[in-house]
Amino acid sequence: MMLIYNGESAAITVVAENNPTMVIQPGEFAELAGDLSGFATDEFYVQEPGEWYTKREGCYTGADIEIYNAAAK
């Protein structure tokens, strides 16, 4: 399992291989199964338009992956 954090102020829809499509509310966490190493691929991505990226090291929230939108800054 990997703990995912939505670091934005809007809900995001995350599609990840071997997981149901999941809506993560702003500032909330979700657990996803598997090794989600390839973000922004056909196997792991955010459906909403934007310049989405992940932070994997030094996550202040304690999550394995934090998701942010560079276009929202």
Side-chain angles (χ1 to χ4, degrees):
M1 291 292 214
M2 296 191 81
L3 187 61
I4 308 296
Y5 174 75
N6 176 2
E8 291 301 329
S9 59
I12 58 174
T13 306
V14 175
V15 177
E17 187 173 78
N18 299 318
N19 288 276
T21 298
M22 180 177 297
V23 175
I24 306 173
Q25 296 301 317
E28 291 192 359
F29 297 85
E31 283 190 341
L32 299 176
D35 176 21
L36 304 174
S37 58
F39 183 71
T41 66
D42 289 341
E43 290 83 32
F44 180 29
Y45 62 93
V46 174
Q47 280 188 332
E48 286 73 24
E51 297 174 28
W52 298 99
Y53 68 95
T54 59
K55 180 178 178 184
R56 295 174 181 270
E57 295 183 17
C59 296
Y60 76 94
T61 63
D64 298 305
I65 299 172
E66 295 176 352
I67 299 176
Y68 298 98
N69 185 355
K73 304 293 182 229

